[in-house]
Amino acid sequence: MASQVASPSASLHTTSSSTTLSTPALSPSSPVDLSPDEVVLLAKLEEQNRLLEIDTKSLRSVNGSRRNSGSSLVSSSSASSNLSHHQEEDAWLLWGRIVNDWEEVYKKKEKPIKELVRKGIPHHFRAIVWQLLCNAQNMPIKDQYCDLLKMTSPSEKLIRRDIARTYPEHDFFKEKDSLGQEVLFNVMKAYSLVDREVGYCQGSAFIVGLLLMQMPEEEAFCVFVKLMQDYRLRELFKPSMAELGLCMYQFECMIQEQLPDLYVHFQAQSFHTSMYASSWFLTIFLTNFPLPVGTRIFDIFMSEGFEIVFRSGLAVLQMNQTELMQLDMEGMLQHFQKVIPHQFDGGPDKLIQAAYQVKYNAKKMKKLEKEYTTIKTKELEEQVEIKRLRTENRLLKQRIETLEKESASLADRLIQGQVTRAQEAEENYLIKRELATIKQQSDEASTKLEQAHHTINELQHQRQLHKCNPRYSEEFVLQLEKELVHARLKEAESQCAMKDMQDKILEIKKRNTSLPDENNIVRLQEELIAVKLREAEAVMALKEMKQQIKDLDEHWQRHLARTAGRWKDPPKKNTVNELQDELMNVRLREAERHAELREIRQRMLEMETQNQINSNQLRRAEQEVSSLQSKVQYLTAQNKGLQAQLSEAKRKQAEIECKNKEDVMAVRLREADSIAAVAELQQHIAELEIQKEEGKIQGQLNNCDSSQYIRELKDQIAELKHEPVTDKMPKQPEGPPRPTHF
């Protein structure tokens, strides 16, 4: 497909040129020397080209034989109303002789050929001459074009989006998905795959579109590759656009030298060169002037490079200087966009003539290039220095934030420790109150136990008094046992409560030891003061760094003001400026050394503070170790005393239990003896009653002795009743049992 795509306007190509050159009137040695007739022919050719550019009808296409069925969009008509057929044949003959023996003619007659190109290349020779000028014939990359079209480019979406913006009013490109848009997409896509660093840039589409108006897409692709490689366009279209900045600097220096009043006006209005001249260099005026004018400028660009862009741009400013001096920035923008593009509708000759009246010094342009490189290098170094200072500033800010966080954390810890200490003191107070209450309850229980023992003694005494009633004695014993069990339960509960309180007291003591004491609070306050000191020093360092950055910015602005007009200053002033630059560099290095010295002092202060803190911590740790050792000794002795008290209490408890068991057994034995004595007495009484009955019967038999016998019986009964009371009564205990306290 690529080999068959051609432009809609036909022009003569290699085949037609070779056919014309094969006439007998030509000889191989003819292009070496130009005769006077040929000079006249050159003048006629110049007039022919001028008329062709003016005649808008000549932009129509004429079909012709061309290799790969290619044709040109910018071609001449078969005949012009103002040009004779004989003059056209003469132009064909001259350019045919030049093209036919290009290498030999260009080597020997390079300057005349450049002059001839400045006067304009005929449309039907433009394609082959452009290829010869940039040496784009027989490039190996041409064979890769079809393979590149089969690949996928990451820039395809961008290319598709910008296709409709390229020559939107031209017949070849204005229709959507037309042949022109398709071949333009193919060439841009292929180049974005060949040069992935550049990829696709919007301004390059206008250059490729102009090439496609003159030649098939394969040849246009090769010419575009040559332009990018050999004509500085690749550096111009890189993402950094460093070459565009250089061009802007050189062009601005030319304006300052040749149009100083306009330069001052631009500076006063803050009207930068890039606001109007960027598209001139990116598209070689193809988007700023009518197509015939842009094509003529592109002819010279193919021969001489960017020199014609500088010349044409300065010529445009010279022509419009009076109008621009009267406008503000908005008006100047409107003038560049709407007025200047229509000033050359009549033809490009006026602009070309004015362009070659502009002074252009190639050596001075090289000098400006070196100066621009030096300025950019210094700017880069100063940007690195500013970036370093900003980094230090950011680090200092982070450090201040860290110190503030540490200070807040220490303050929180101090407050939290004080709050915890207050809470623990309150809990300690509550536990002491509970302990006092439990001690009071224990004392009350001991009192109740003594009262119970006293009651037991009283009951035992009452039991002895009422020994004659065995049922009453059993109830007393059961009641005493219940009260004894109840008293022991209360005593055990009191002991358990007292043990719990002692455990709580020990736990509170442990927690009190873990709390920060006054020494720890003092340590935290010292650390807080040290952190605040470091924070204050960091803030001072930050303020000094900000002041240094401000001074550097002022030096930088003064440096920019000096370097802006340095190229026109006398040598003596340049020497002074260089000395001022050296002085600024010395000041920068001095500021850097001061910053390093301040950082070292800051680190030394931090190390001294850390050393002091470590010494305080070590001293407090030794004090804590000694206090802990004394506490361990005290607790060991206290533990031994408590163990001895515990063993003594256990022994006393065992003795009391044994004694209580013996008392219970003695009571039960006395109770059994009392029951047996009562039964014996009852039996004796029954026997006495029987004897009494027998005595009554016998008294009836023996009346003399009956009254005496009855008295004897009564005395015996009285003695028997008195005997159980005196002999069988339990022994009274010596005193109430002493209460046992645990």
Side-chain angles (χ1 to χ4, degrees):
M1 172 187 175
S3 62
Q4 296 176 359
V5 175
S7 305
S9 300
S11 65
L12 294 178
H13 199 254
T14 308
T15 306
S16 60
S17 300
S18 60
T19 304
T20 306
L21 295 176
S22 63
T23 58
L26 300 174
S27 63
S29 61
S30 58
V32 177
D33 297 321
L34 294 177
S35 63
D37 295 336
E38 291 174 345
V39 174
V40 174
L41 186 60
L42 284 173
K44 291 180 181 179
L45 183 59
E46 179 182 358
E47 180 67 19
Q48 173 197 10
N49 288 333
R50 186 180 65 80
L51 293 175
L52 284 173
E53 296 292 346
I54 295 173
D55 188 6
T56 57
K57 294 182 180 180
S58 66
L59 296 177
R60 300 293 182 182
S61 61
V62 176
N63 294 329
S65 61
R66 188 175 184 179
R67 186 181 61 182
N68 294 330
S69 300
S71 59
S72 173
L73 286 177
V74 184
S75 61
S76 62
S77 60
S78 60
S80 176
S81 60
N82 298 321
L83 189 64
S84 65
H85 183 69
H86 179 71
Q87 290 175 332
E88 185 178 356
E89 287 183 354
D90 290 342
W92 275 51
L93 287 173
L94 178 60
W95 278 101
R97 291 169 62 188
I98 294 173
V99 170
N100 191 42
D101 199 3
W102 173 262
E103 293 184 358
E104 188 175 355
V105 173
Y106 193 75
K107 286 181 181 178
K108 296 181 179 180
K109 303 292 182 180
E110 181 179 355
K111 189 173 181 181
I113 289 177
K114 286 185 177 181
E115 292 291 337
L116 193 61
V117 171
R118 292 175 186 175
K119 296 176 181 179
I121 303 173
H123 296 287
H124 39 270
F125 281 101
R126 190 162 273 145
I128 184 64
V129 171
W130 282 1
Q131 295 180 54
L132 291 171
L133 284 172
C134 66
N135 196 19
Q137 289 182 322
N138 302 321
M139 291 182 65
I141 199 171
K142 185 176 181 181
D143 299 332
Q144 304 175 10
Y145 182 74
C146 294
D147 296 332
L148 292 172
L149 295 183
K150 298 176 183 179
M151 300 169 65
T152 302
S153 171
S155 305
E156 288 186 10
K157 291 184 179 180
L158 294 175
I159 299 172
R160 286 288 185 192
R161 184 193 64 186
D162 293 336
I163 286 296
R165 306 176 188 174
T166 306
Y167 299 112
E169 298 179 358
H170 199 282
D171 294 336
F172 191 42
F173 299 104
K174 68 180 180 180
E175 296 294 335
K176 186 178 180 181
D177 298 330
S178 62
L179 182 62
Q181 290 190 2
E182 189 64 27
V183 295
L184 179 59
F185 173 78
N186 290 341
V187 176
M188 298 307 301
K189 171 187 172 182
Y191 185 79
S192 68
L193 292 169
V194 170
D195 190 353
R196 294 185 180 272
E197 182 181 359
V198 175
Y200 166 72
C201 188
Q202 186 178 3
S204 60
F206 290 93
I207 299 174
V208 176
L210 180 64
L211 296 176
L212 290 172
M213 296 178 193
Q214 312 297 328
M215 60 191 75
E217 59 181 297
E218 297 97 332
E219 297 175 1
F221 173 69
C222 294
V223 173
F224 183 64
V225 171
K226 270 292 183 180
L227 290 175
M228 296 292 284
Q229 293 176 352
D230 301 339
Y231 285 75
R232 297 168 57 188
L233 287 181
R234 186 174 184 276
E235 300 296 326
L236 203 67
F237 288 120
K238 276 185 177 181
S240 62
M241 289 190 171
E243 192 71 17
L244 181 61
L246 173 61
C247 293
M248 294 295 102
Y249 179 76
Q250 292 173 333
F251 189 64
E252 187 174 353
C253 291
M254 290 180 67
I255 298 171
Q256 188 177 7
E257 180 183 5
Q258 302 185 29
L259 302 172
D261 295 337
L262 186 61
Y263 174 79
V264 172
H265 179 66
F266 282 168
Q267 294 295 320
Q269 296 293 328
S270 298
F271 193 62
H272 302 292
T273 309
S274 58
M275 296 173 68
Y276 61 90
S278 297
S279 60
W280 294 355
F281 289 89
L282 289 173
T283 63
I284 322 298
F285 291 102
L286 292 175
T287 59
N288 304 96
F289 295 136
L291 190 59
V293 180
T295 307
R296 279 288 300 277
I297 295 175
F298 200 81
D299 288 341
I300 305 172
F301 174 76
M302 295 290 293
S303 175
E304 301 179 17
F306 272 104
E307 178 181 345
I308 185 60
V309 182
F310 286 102
R311 289 179 177 274
S312 301
L314 208 61
V316 170
L317 294 179
Q318 286 177 347
M319 293 178 184
N320 295 271
Q321 181 176 3
T322 306
E323 292 83 355
L324 292 172
M325 291 287 291
Q326 299 174 359
L327 300 173
D328 58 0
M329 185 173 68
E330 187 71 23
M332 287 189 288
L333 283 174
Q334 295 293 328
H335 190 80
F336 275 103
Q337 293 174 0
K338 296 182 178 179
V339 178
I340 291 179
H342 299 289
Q343 289 180 347
F344 307 102
D345 290 342
D349 292 337
K350 181 180 178 182
L351 177 62
I352 301 299
Q353 291 175 3
Y356 280 97
Q357 291 176 1
V358 172
K359 295 180 182 179
Y360 182 86
N361 191 341
K363 292 183 179 179
K364 190 167 186 179
M365 298 297 282
K366 288 288 185 183
K367 184 179 178 181
L368 290 174
E369 183 178 355
K370 292 181 180 179
E371 185 177 342
Y372 178 78
T373 305
T374 305
I375 291 172
K376 283 296 178 183
T377 304
K378 287 185 177 180
E379 286 181 359
L380 184 61
E381 291 176 354
E382 290 173 354
Q383 287 177 0
V384 169
E385 179 67 18
I386 291 173
K387 186 177 180 181
R388 187 185 68 80
L389 291 174
R390 286 177 179 170
T391 304
E392 290 182 359
N393 189 6
R394 179 172 52 82
L395 292 174
L396 285 173
K397 286 183 178 179
Q398 292 179 356
R399 210 159 149 196
I400 288 173
E401 291 176 358
T402 305
L403 291 173
E404 287 178 351
K405 290 180 181 177
E406 290 180 359
S407 177
S409 176
L410 287 173
D412 291 340
R413 285 172 56 191
L414 183 61
I415 294 170
Q416 187 66 29
Q418 292 176 351
V419 171
T420 307
R421 193 179 182 88
Q423 291 177 353
E424 295 294 337
E426 185 177 359
E427 290 180 1
N428 193 5
Y429 175 71
L430 293 175
I431 291 172
K432 285 182 179 179
R433 286 184 60 186
E434 292 180 2
L435 182 61
T437 305
I438 291 171
K439 285 182 177 179
Q440 185 178 0
Q441 291 177 358
S442 177
D443 295 337
E444 291 177 357
S446 300
T447 305
K448 289 180 180 180
L449 185 61
E450 292 178 357
Q451 292 177 358
H453 284 295
H454 184 66
T455 306
I456 288 171
N457 293 330
E458 290 180 353
L459 290 173
Q460 288 177 353
H461 181 65
Q462 291 178 5
R463 185 176 179 182
Q464 290 176 359
L465 294 176
H466 302 282
K467 195 173 183 180
C468 60
N469 192 352
R471 184 178 179 185
Y472 184 74
S473 300
E474 289 179 1
E475 289 178 358
F476 260 127
V477 171
L478 292 175
Q479 185 179 0
L480 288 174
E481 288 179 354
K482 289 179 181 180
E483 289 181 359
L484 181 61
V485 171
H486 184 66
R488 287 179 178 175
L489 288 174
K490 283 188 177 181
E491 184 178 3
E493 290 176 357
S494 299
Q495 290 178 356
C496 291
M498 187 178 294
K499 187 176 181 181
D500 292 338
M501 290 300 104
Q502 290 176 352
D503 294 337
K504 285 185 179 180
I505 289 170
L506 291 175
E507 184 179 357
I508 288 171
K509 287 182 179 179
K510 291 180 181 178
R511 293 172 66 181
N512 286 334
T513 55
S514 63
L515 285 175
D517 55 1
E518 294 180 356
N519 294 328
N520 290 333
I521 293 173
V522 171
R523 178 176 58 82
L524 292 175
Q525 289 177 349
E526 290 176 356
E527 292 179 1
L528 181 60
I529 291 170
V531 169
K532 288 184 177 179
L533 287 174
R534 292 199 299 273
E535 182 181 357
E537 291 177 358
V539 170
M540 292 296 295
L542 178 62
K543 289 182 180 178
E544 292 178 0
M545 194 65 66
K546 286 182 179 178
Q547 185 63 33
Q548 288 182 3
I549 291 171
K550 185 177 178 181
D551 295 339
L552 287 174
D553 288 337
E554 293 177 357
H555 283 298
W556 171 240
Q557 295 298 330
R558 291 198 294 270
H559 176 67
L560 288 180
R562 289 197 306 272
T563 55
R566 182 179 294 177
W567 65 272
K568 65 175 185 178
D569 292 337
K572 185 176 180 180
K573 193 169 183 180
N574 288 334
T575 305
V576 173
N577 291 333
E578 290 177 359
L579 290 175
Q580 289 179 352
D581 291 340
E582 291 180 1
L583 179 61
M584 187 180 70
N585 291 330
V586 169
R587 288 179 178 175
L588 287 173
R589 288 194 294 273
E590 183 180 359
E592 183 178 359
R593 297 299 179 270
H594 280 304
E596 292 177 357
L597 181 60
R598 192 175 295 107
E599 186 177 358
I600 291 171
R601 288 178 179 174
Q602 180 70 17
R603 290 178 182 172
M604 186 184 299
L605 182 61
E606 290 179 358
M607 293 176 67
E608 289 177 356
T609 307
Q610 188 66 30
N611 189 13
Q612 185 179 2
I613 292 171
N614 291 333
S615 300
N616 293 334
Q617 289 179 351
L618 184 61
R619 186 177 65 254
R620 286 191 291 270
E622 291 176 354
Q623 292 176 358
E624 289 178 358
V625 167
S626 60
S627 63
L628 288 175
Q629 288 178 353
S630 61
K631 286 181 181 179
V632 167
Q633 293 176 358
Y634 173 73
L635 291 174
T636 304
Q638 188 177 7
N639 190 14
K640 291 180 179 178
L642 290 174
Q643 288 180 355
Q645 291 179 5
L646 181 62
S647 60
E648 182 68 22
K650 287 181 179 179
R651 186 183 61 79
K652 289 181 178 181
Q653 185 178 3
E655 290 179 356
I656 291 170
E657 288 179 355
C658 292
K659 189 175 181 181
N660 290 333
K661 289 180 181 179
E662 291 176 355
D663 292 340
V664 171
M665 291 299 294
V667 168
R668 289 180 179 177
L669 288 173
R670 286 194 294 270
E671 210 177 295
D673 292 340
S674 300
I675 293 170
V678 169
E680 186 178 353
L681 288 173
Q682 289 177 354
Q683 185 179 1
H684 197 189
I685 289 169
E687 291 177 354
L688 290 174
E689 288 179 352
I690 293 170
Q691 290 178 4
K692 181 180 178 181
E693 291 295 331
E694 291 178 353
K696 285 180 179 181
I697 295 170
Q698 190 177 1
Q700 291 175 2
L701 297 176
N702 192 8
N703 290 325
C704 60
D705 296 326
S706 58
S707 58
Q708 185 180 357
Y709 183 74
I710 290 169
R711 283 194 302 270
E712 290 177 0
L713 285 175
K714 287 180 180 180
D715 293 334
Q716 289 179 2
I717 290 170
E719 289 176 359
L720 288 173
K721 285 182 180 181
H722 183 68
E723 184 179 358
V725 177
T726 56
D727 296 336
K728 304 299 181 181
M729 182 181 298
K731 294 182 180 180
Q732 185 73 15
E734 297 178 356
R738 299 175 64 184
T740 304
H741 299 283
F742 296 96

